[in-house]
Structure formats: structure tokens, C-alpha cells
């Protein structure tokens, strides 16, 4: 075959291969992003993603830790309380969306039911373990009645005595979690309906088990993927009524399970939490990798639970105490209840001076969410919050003794879940390996194309060189012959 024709053929083939590589280079990411968008939209036709959204396949657990009071008698006499952390008591959490209704404006409404099942093998102890914590019914009500007439406070104290309710409870973990029989609770529900959050047994989590988090209406992302999972309304409300400023009453972000795709390091994770009665927002901390999948870690900033003095936008959540405490009394029947991070992590250090036995660390008590930035899907979640009761001595209510004013930690809990098993393999294959293969392909085609073009050029010029050499050799012989004759002519002339 003529080398010139071969070089032309190789040049054309190499150019086409390189162009194909360039096309993949620019079009590939668009194709991948388009597939991500199509597969993430909340739509029953997206069988895999819709099933994951409806019935979350990732195992979720709630680990509960109690602050067992070691010196209740001394505490009642005015000494600093001393606590010992007990637990974790671990519960498997099941989430399931029901009453799913799609709307013409590209939103979907649902009720998400949650149920908890005790996991003895993962727990340090059993639900039969007895712990001592403050009696919220007594010490909480005492603070609520602090500004009432003295006679009313005396009557309340007499009521406590008649029902044999003291300042502390020593009950099993199961009773404290899911409820226990109380004649005082029955009395209050009969004569003061609505005063307590529950109408049956009284327990710290009695409202949570086999219940829903309210009617959420979220965007499906079908019209705009940037809106996917964002809350349109909650229980028919587009804003809350608990707080003092419009900003604090805003319902921002998602329902806290997934976020819009294509995140950057400047992105944040806003979400609405019915349990905290407000919207929260996490910020980017660092990159990471989990089982080969790239992730961004988002954490709670110190400003999230800061008081109005330290962070002006939070003024609407007041009346406030020290930074690191969220007053949720406005959505908890006016009970003096505060939410914080466990062991007062990221809170005003003075809170640690009031209670003995607390040791906050970021690894054990900081909350975080690890997100796959391309899809907005959480890979690893750990939400940690602490429930605290504000208590003090109240004149006329003898059950409060000489208790010093204190924000007393009662329990803290961690809700965590992470991708594992087959779902991780599927996620890794579709969203890590396939895009990586496409990246390698584009560079392979580019490299192969350029190498072929270069080879064609070299082949073409090598052919020219050989041709030139063949042309130059006869000329040289003629030149030599002429030079040999020159001396003869000269001799003849001489």
C-alpha cells in the first residue's frame, strides 16, 4: 500500500478518534448530570429512587443515653448535681411514608410514620435498668408556676404530695422512654385537658413511637431539580407561629433526609425539624471518602444554637439563656425545656460548671451529615441532641427543696444511619465507577487519536525523506563526472 495513502487514512482515523474523545469530554458530564436529574426526581416511574424515598432502605438507629443522678439528696439540699451517663440503649428506627399524594404544581404530600424496636445486642444494658432523673411533672411545673400567687403554688405542692410525686424519678428505661402510669397525669388530663402533650402514659418518647412527623409537602424536582425535596409546607403552614421574628418562623430547606444535587463547598444543608420546632442549617467542614464514594461532611456551626446576644439573627428564638441552648418551651406546652448538643458541646462553658460528670468532645457529641455532593444523597448521618430541664427552687413548692438554678441534662440521643450492603455497591457502580470509566474513555480516545495523527504525520514525512534521497543520488554522480573532466580541459588549454 502507498505510504502516503496510509498516512492520510491514519490521519483521518486519528482525527475522528480525537474528536470523539473531545465530544465525550464535553458531552459526557452533561449526559451524567442529565441521568442524575432523571433518576432523582420524585416519581413512581423512577422505580429504584422512588422506592428508596418512600421506604428508606438504610438502617437507622436511635441510641439513647440517660444522665443518672448520683446524689439526688445532696442536689435537693443545694449542692451541685453529679451525673453518670448510662447507655446506650439502642432502638432500630423504621421510617415509612404513607398517604402519598402528588399535586399539579410538582409537589407531593405525605405522612412519615416512625416506629422503634429495642436492639438488646447493640445496647449496653436492658430496658429494665433503673435510672434516676428529674421528675419533669414536678420540677417543670414548679418553674411554670413561679409567677403564680403563693396560694396557687401551695396548692400545687399539696397536689404533688397527695399523688406521692417527688422531685426525682427512679424508674426503668422502658418506662421513662415509652411511658408509665401516673395518677397525677390522669388527674391533669381529666381536669386540665391540653396541659400535657400526651393523654395516656407519660414518657419522654411516648409521642414519637408509632406516630408521624406531620404532613410534609415537598417539591418533586420535576420542574426544577434545584427545588427537589425542599419543603413547600408543613401541616399546611408555610411559616411557623412559635417564634418572635419572621426569619425564625421560616420553614427552610428539606425535610432532613435528602437535598438537591450538584453541591459545592459553599453549599449548606438547611432542613426543617418538627422535633426542634424550627429550621436548622449545617455548613461544610471537609471532604472525605466512604467505601470509595466521595463525600462532603456538613456539621452544626456554633451559631446554630447561639443566643441572641452572641448571634443577632437568633434573637427571635428567645427568651434565651446561655449560648448552645434552644428554648423550645413555646412548642412544648410552655414546659421549661431546652435542647442542646450532648454534654453541652459547642455551648457556653459555664454550663459545665453547674453539673459534674460532663465531658464534651467533637467525635462523640458533634453532629454531622456526610453527603454525596453530586446527588445530595446522605451516606452517613449522625444527629445528636440533648434534652435539658431548667429547674430552680420555687417558694411554696417544697418539692424543689434548695435546688440551685441549673439547666439540668436528662438524656441525649443520637439518630444515625449509613449506606451499607447492596445499595452501596449499586450507588458506587452507577455514580462512581461509570463516570470514572467515561473519564478514562475520553482520555483514552484523545490519547489514541493524537498518537494516530502523530504517527500519520511521521509516516507521511518519512515517505518524503526517502523520496528526496532517491532523487539526490543521481545528481551526485553527474557532479562527480564533471569534476573529474575539468582537469583534462585545463591541461589541454595549457
Amino acid at each position: 500500500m502507498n505510504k502516503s495513502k496510509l498516512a492520510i487514512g491514519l490521519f483521518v482515523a486519528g482525527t475522528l478518534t480525537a474528536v470523539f474523545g473531545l465530544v465525550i469530554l464535553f458531552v459526557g458530564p452533561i449526559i451524567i448530570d442529565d441521568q442524575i436529574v432523571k433518576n432523582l426526581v420524585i416519581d413512581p416511574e423512577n422505580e429504584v429512587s422512588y422506592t428508596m424515598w418512600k421506604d428508606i432502605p438504610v438502617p437507622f438507629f436511635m441510641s439513647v443515653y440517660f444522665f443518672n443522678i448520683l446524689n439526688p439528696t445532696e442536689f435537693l439540699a443545694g449542692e451541685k448535681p453529679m451525673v453518670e451517663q448510662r447507655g446506650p440503649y439502642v432502638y432500630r428506627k423504621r421510617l415509612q411514608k404513607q398517604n402519598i399524594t402528588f399535586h399539579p404544581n410538582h409537589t407531593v404530600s405525605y405522612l412519615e410514620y416512625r416506629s422503634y424496636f429495642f436492639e438488646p445486642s447493640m445496647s449496653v444494658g436492658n430496658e429494665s435498668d433503673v435510672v434516676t432523673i428529674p421528675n419533669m411533672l414536678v420540677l417543670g411545673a414548679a418553674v411554670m408556676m413561679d409567677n403564680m400567687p403563693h396560694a396557687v403554688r401551695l396548692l400545687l405542692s399539696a397536689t404533688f404530695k397527695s399523688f406521692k410525686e417527688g422531685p426525682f424519678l427512679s424508674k426503668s428505661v422502658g418506662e421513662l422512654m415509652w411511658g408509665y402510669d401516673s395518677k397525677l397525669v390522669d388527674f391533669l388530663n381529666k381536669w386540665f385537658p391540653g396541659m400535657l402533650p400526651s393523654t395516656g402514659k407519660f414518657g419522654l418518647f411516648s409521642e414519637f413511637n408509632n406516630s408521624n412527623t406531620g404532613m410534609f409537602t415537598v417539591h418533586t424536582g420535576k420542574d426544577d431539580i434545584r427545588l427537589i425535596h425542599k419543603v413547600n409546607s408543613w401541616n399546611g403552614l408555610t411559616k411557623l407561629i412559635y417564634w418572635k421574628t419572621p426569619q425564625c418562623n421560616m420553614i427552610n430547606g428539606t425535610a432532613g433526609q435528602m437535598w438537591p444535587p450538584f453541591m459545592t463547598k459553599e453549599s449548606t444543608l438547611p432542613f426543617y425539624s418538627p422535633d426542634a420546632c424550627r429550621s436548622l442549617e449545617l455548613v461544610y467542614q471537609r471532604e472525605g471518602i466512604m467505601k470509595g464514594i466521595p463525600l462532603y461532611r456538613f456539621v452544626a456551626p456554633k451559631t446554630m444554637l447561639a443566643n441572641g446576644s452572641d448571634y443577632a439573627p437568633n434573637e427571635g428564638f428567645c427568651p434565651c439563656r446561655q449560648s448552645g441552648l434552644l428554648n423550645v418551651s413555646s412548642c412544648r406546652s410552655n414546659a421549661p425545656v431546652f435542647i442542646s448538643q450532648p454534654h453541652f458541646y459547642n455551648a457556653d462553658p459555664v454550663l459545665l460548671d453547674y453539673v459534674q460528670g460532663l465531658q464534651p468532645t467533637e467525635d462523640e457529641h458533634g453532629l454531622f451529615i456526610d453527603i454525596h455532593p453530586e446527588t445530595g444523597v446522605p451516606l452517613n448521618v449522625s444527629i445528636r441532641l440533648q434534652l435539658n430541664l431548667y429547674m430552680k427552687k420555687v417558694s411554696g413548692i417544697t418539692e424543689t427543696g434548695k435546688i440551685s438554678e441549673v439547666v439540668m441534662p436528662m438524656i441525649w440521643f443520637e439518630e444515625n444511619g449509613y449506606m451499607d450492603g447492596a445499595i452501596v455497591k449499586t450507588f458506587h457502580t452507577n455514580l462512581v465507577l461509570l463516570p470514572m470509566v467515561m473519564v478514562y474513555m475520553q482520555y483514552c480516545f484523545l490519547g489514541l487519536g493524537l498518537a494516530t495523527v502523530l504517527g500519520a504525520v511521521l509516516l507521511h514525512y518519512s515517505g518524503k525523506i526517502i523520496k528526496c534521497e532517491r532523487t539526490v543520488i543521481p545528481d551526485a554522480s553527474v557532479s562527480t563526472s564533471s569534476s573529474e573532466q575539468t582537469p583534462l580541459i585545463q591541461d589541454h588549454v595549457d
Side-chain angles (χ1 to χ4, degrees):
M1 181 184 288
N2 188 294
K3 287 188 177 182
S4 179
K5 291 182 179 180
L6 178 61
I8 293 172
L10 288 175
F11 182 83
V12 172
T15 301
L16 291 175
T17 304
V19 168
F20 184 66
L22 282 172
V23 170
I24 296 178
L25 179 65
F26 291 104
V27 177
I30 297 175
I31 295 174
I32 293 173
D33 289 351
D34 185 60
Q35 288 301 309
I36 288 174
V37 169
K38 287 182 179 179
N39 289 322
L40 287 180
V41 170
I42 302 175
D43 189 334
E45 293 183 4
N46 292 338
E47 186 175 347
V48 176
S49 60
Y50 180 75
T51 301
M52 285 179 58
W53 173 79
K54 181 183 176 184
D55 299 308
I56 299 175
V58 176
F60 268 89
F61 298 93
M62 181 175 71
S63 301
V64 181
Y65 299 81
F66 282 83
F67 290 105
N68 181 51
I69 301 176
L70 299 177
N71 61 339
T73 304
E74 293 79 3
F75 180 24
L76 194 62
E79 293 186 18
K80 186 183 295 187
M82 183 182 299
V83 298
E84 171 192 48
Q85 180 176 289
R86 301 279 296 276
Y89 300 94
V90 182
Y91 298 83
R92 180 181 293 272
K93 181 180 181 180
R94 184 185 177 190
L95 297 169
Q96 187 177 37
K97 293 179 176 66
Q98 298 182 12
N99 297 70
I100 299 173
T101 306
F102 287 87
H103 307 292
N105 64 342
H106 304 298
T107 61
V108 57
S109 299
Y110 62 88
L111 291 172
E112 184 168 75
Y113 285 84
R114 51 192 174 180
S115 50
Y116 299 88
F117 307 90
F118 185 60
E119 293 284 350
S121 62
M122 302 175 66
S123 303
V124 179
N126 297 305
E127 283 193 305
S128 58
D129 293 351
V130 175
V131 295
T132 300
I133 64 171
N135 188 340
M136 289 184 65
L137 291 174
V138 173
L139 298 178
V143 172
M144 293 167 65
M145 296 293 177
D146 190 27
N147 294 323
M148 298 296 287
H150 190 71
V152 174
R153 282 178 268 145
L154 289 173
L155 179 61
L156 180 64
S157 183
T159 302
F160 290 149
K161 290 179 176 60
S162 66
F163 286 105
K164 298 181 180 179
E165 293 281 353
F168 302 105
L169 287 173
S170 292
K171 291 189 175 293
S172 70
V173 168
E175 288 177 310
L176 294 174
M177 285 288 297
W178 311 117
Y180 57 91
D181 292 317
S182 169
K183 293 182 180 179
L184 175 60
V185 172
D186 296 337
F187 172 80
L188 293 175
N189 284 328
K190 179 178 180 179
W191 298 103
F192 303 95
M195 181 178 178
L196 298 177
S198 61
T199 56
K201 294 183 176 182
F202 184 80
L204 297 173
F205 284 83
S206 58
E207 294 179 83
F208 290 70
N209 203 12
N210 300 316
S211 65
N212 64 74
T213 54
M215 178 68 75
F216 274 97
T217 301
V218 302
H219 291 272
T220 63
K222 197 167 187 177
D223 57 332
D224 187 348
I225 197 63
R226 294 171 297 179
L227 296 177
I228 190 170
H229 302 298
K230 288 191 175 181
V231 179
N232 179 263
S233 66
W234 175 73
N235 282 342
L237 301 173
T238 56
K239 60 182 180 180
L240 304 173
I241 57 174
Y242 305 127
W243 313 110
K244 295 182 178 180
T245 62
Q247 181 179 355
C248 291
N249 276 318
M250 292 175 66
I251 298 178
N252 295 323
T254 72
Q257 293 175 350
M258 297 179 72
W259 282 265
F262 313 126
M263 291 184 173
T264 67
K265 294 177 182 180
E266 287 69 42
S267 300
T268 60
L269 294 189
F271 63 98
Y272 172 66
S273 169
D275 297 331
C277 309
R278 59 165 286 192
S279 296
L280 303 169
E281 188 172 46
L282 307 187
V283 297
Y284 173 85
Q285 184 192 52
R286 62 174 174 82
E287 290 182 291
I289 294 178
M290 186 185 111
K291 298 183 179 179
I293 304 173
L295 59 85
Y296 286 173
R297 171 160 290 189
F298 291 82
V299 298
K302 286 188 177 182
T303 55
M304 188 172 77
L305 299 180
N307 62 23
S309 300
D310 291 343
Y311 186 62
N314 284 352
E315 185 65 36
F317 294 120
C318 293
C320 299
R321 297 192 65 80
Q322 294 88 351
S323 275
L325 298 173
L326 173 66
N327 187 344
V328 293
S329 59
S330 59
C331 63
R332 290 289 182 269
S333 305
N334 292 319
V337 176
F338 290 80
I339 288 177
S340 70
Q341 290 186 256
H343 287 242
F344 296 130
Y345 173 71
N346 261 351
D348 190 326
V350 73
L351 294 168
L352 298 174
D353 295 335
Y354 299 146
V355 182
Q356 299 181 63
L358 303 180
Q359 295 177 327
T361 64
E362 180 180 3
D363 288 343
E364 294 184 10
H365 307 123
L367 64 87
F368 66 86
I369 297 179
D370 291 337
I371 294 279
H372 181 245
E374 285 298 304
T375 61
V377 175
L379 304 175
N380 189 16
V381 176
S382 182
I383 302 298
R384 298 159 173 164
L385 293 173
Q386 180 171 294
L387 184 67
N388 310 280
L389 182 67
Y390 171 64
M391 57 183 70
K392 64 177 183 177
K393 174 185 177 181
V394 177
S395 176
I397 303 180
T398 58
E399 284 74 14
T400 60
K402 297 180 180 179
I403 290 178
S404 300
E405 187 176 1
V406 63
V407 178
M408 184 69 185
M410 298 178 63
I411 64 167
W412 74 269
F413 59 93
E414 173 187 19
E415 293 199 341
N416 69 295
Y418 58 91
M419 277 197 181
D420 199 6
I423 189 172
V424 172
K425 293 180 181 178
T426 303
F427 199 88
H428 186 263
T429 300
N430 294 336
L431 296 170
V432 178
L433 289 182
L434 291 181
M436 192 180 297
V437 168
M438 185 167 286
V439 170
Y440 286 144
M441 281 178 58
Q442 66 194 23
Y443 289 116
C444 284
F445 278 113
L446 275 173
L448 180 61
L450 292 175
T452 304
V453 169
L454 180 61
V457 171
L458 292 175
L459 181 64
H460 175 72
Y461 279 103
S462 68
K464 277 192 171 185
I465 291 171
I466 293 172
K467 186 176 181 181
C468 288
E469 288 176 349
R470 288 176 178 173
T471 305
V472 169
I473 290 171
D475 291 343
S477 64
V478 171
S479 177
T480 304
S481 174
S482 299
S483 63
E484 289 176 350
Q485 293 176 4
T486 301
L488 295 175
I489 294 172
Q490 289 176 345
D491 290 341
H492 179 75
V493 172
D494 292 337

